[in-house]
Amino acid sequence: MFGLFKKKSEKEKLQEAYTKKLSEVHKASQINRKEADRLAAEAEEIAKKIEKL
């Protein structure tokens, strides 16, 4: 109950962004491969930030 309003840590925020970006990659890969590659590169950058934490 008390965790309802707990602020998310930087790592949690990055993991959420990473998951969202991977979802976008999957959707884009069905339509536009070049866009999917760009999004995958962005997801990789987020993964690197997570590893540094």
Side-chain angles (χ1 to χ4, degrees):
M1 185 76 181
F2 294 106
L4 267 175
F5 300 107
K6 183 183 100 173
K7 289 191 174 201
K8 290 184 180 181
S9 71
E10 186 66 24
K11 187 173 184 176
E12 288 172 322
K13 289 178 187 176
L14 286 172
Q15 287 174 332
E16 212 172 82
Y18 180 71
T19 303
K20 184 177 178 184
K21 192 63 70 175
L22 286 180
S23 175
E24 291 175 19
V25 169
H26 178 69
K27 289 177 187 174
S29 70
Q30 298 170 351
I31 301 166
N32 182 345
R33 188 66 203 164
K34 195 172 191 177
E35 179 71 9
D37 290 343
R38 184 185 66 76
L39 291 170
E42 289 178 13
E44 185 63 31
E45 288 299 315
I46 294 171
K48 288 178 185 177
K49 288 179 184 177
I50 291 171
E51 286 179 18
K52 287 181 182 179
L53 293 179

